């Protein structure tokens, strides 16, 4: 169990913690952040989520820099990412802070891509994440963070930044999904 894998496992361990702060009713009061009122529990959840999301970059950087890439890491890293995003989006739907249809589109793409990767792995192939897929993930993280923070700092001026980022993330999810399947259609065309 090397350091990058330990970082990845820490990301998985942070998921239930941020979910508790996000969805369990807690009377910690509210913060007023430049005119945006954010429940303290949601603020804490957002900070934990952002830290967890940052570990995705950290574990990959550390693994590549010190040549500590392992099969366990190749398995755990994308799993941790999908668990983090899935938990956050489903929690936001439960809180009525994100439209269910957008979350269904995003999660459907993630499950479909995972399925293709499993088929490829059965043939001994590894499909790396595409640059478009990485950009999609960045926008998902921005959107989720902005939603958890109740559209801070844009709420006082009425600019729907959080929803705009969720729209961008949803569109990028669709586009990157199409790109992914087009580039890997050979997996399905094998006789």
């Amino acid at each position: 169990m090397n350091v990058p894998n330990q970082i990845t496992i820490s990301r998985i361990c942070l998921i239930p913690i941020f979910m508790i702060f996000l969805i369990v009713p807690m009377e910690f009061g509210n913060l007023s952040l430049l005119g945006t009122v954010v429940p303290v529990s949601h603020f804490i959840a957002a900070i934990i989520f952002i830290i967890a999301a940052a570990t995705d970059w950290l574990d990959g950087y550390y693994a590549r820099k010190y040549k500590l890439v392992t099969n366990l890491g190749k398995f755990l890293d994308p799993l941790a990412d999908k668990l983090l995003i899935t938990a956050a989006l489903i929690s936001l739907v439960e809180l009525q802070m994100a439209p269910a249809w957008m979350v269904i589109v995003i999660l459907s793409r993630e499950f479909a891509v995972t399925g293709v990767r499993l088929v490829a792995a059965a043939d001994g192939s590894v499909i790396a994440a595409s640059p478009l897929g990485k950009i999609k993930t960045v926008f998902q993280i921005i959107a989720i963070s902005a939603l958890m923070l109740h559209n801070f700092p844009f709420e006082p001026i009425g600019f729907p930044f959080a929803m705009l980022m969720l729209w961008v993330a949803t569109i990028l999810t669709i586009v990157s999904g199409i790109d992914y399947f087009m580039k890997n259609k050979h997996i399905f065309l094998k006789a």
Side-chain angles (χ1 to χ4, degrees), residues 8 20 23 35 37 64 77 80 105 140 144 152 157 167-168 184:
T8 302
I20 288 168
I23 61 177
V37 177
R64 285 185 298 275
D77 186 59
V105 168
Q140 288 176 349
I144 291 167
F152 169 78
I157 61 171
W167 271 101
V168 171
N184 296 292

Side-chain angles (χ1 to χ4, degrees), residues 7-169:
I7 294 170
T8 302
I9 289 172
S10 74
R11 181 161 69 254
I12 294 170
C13 292
L14 287 173
I15 293 169
I17 298 169
F18 95 75
M19 286 182 67
I20 288 168
F21 280 101
L22 186 61
I23 61 177
V24 174
M26 297 183 189
E27 296 302 322
F28 293 145
N30 296 314
L31 290 172
S32 181
L33 303 170
L34 301 174
T36 303
V37 177
V38 180
V40 171
S41 58
H42 290 189
F43 181 79
I44 294 168
I47 297 302
I48 295 169
F49 173 81
I50 292 165
I51 290 168
T55 66
D56 181 31
W57 174 84
L58 183 63
D59 62 12
Y61 171 79
Y62 199 89
R64 285 185 298 275
K65 182 174 181 178
Y66 296 103
K67 298 183 181 14
L68 296 171
V69 176
T70 64
N71 285 336
L72 179 62
K74 289 178 187 176
F75 168 74
L76 282 179
D77 186 59
L79 175 65
D81 297 343
K82 291 193 183 359
L83 288 172
L84 181 67
I85 297 296
T86 300
L89 289 172
I90 291 173
S91 297
L92 289 168
V93 168
E94 180 177 331
L95 294 169
Q96 299 181 352
M97 296 171 71
W101 74 267
M102 287 180 153
V103 171
I104 290 168
V105 168
I106 291 169
L107 297 183
S108 296
R109 183 261 189 213
E110 299 305 330
F111 286 118
V113 165
T114 299
V116 172
R117 285 195 169 128
L118 289 173
V119 171
D123 282 345
S125 301
V126 175
I127 302 173
S130 70
L132 192 55
K134 291 179 181 182
I135 293 168
K136 173 260 319 170
T137 301
V138 168
F139 276 94
Q140 288 176 349
I141 292 166
I142 292 169
I144 291 167
S145 301
L147 287 165
M148 284 185 192
L149 292 170
H150 295 249
N151 200 40
F152 169 78
F154 300 97
E155 189 61 27
I157 61 171
F159 181 69
F161 176 78
M163 282 307 298
L164 178 63
M165 290 299 100
L166 189 58
W167 271 101
V168 171

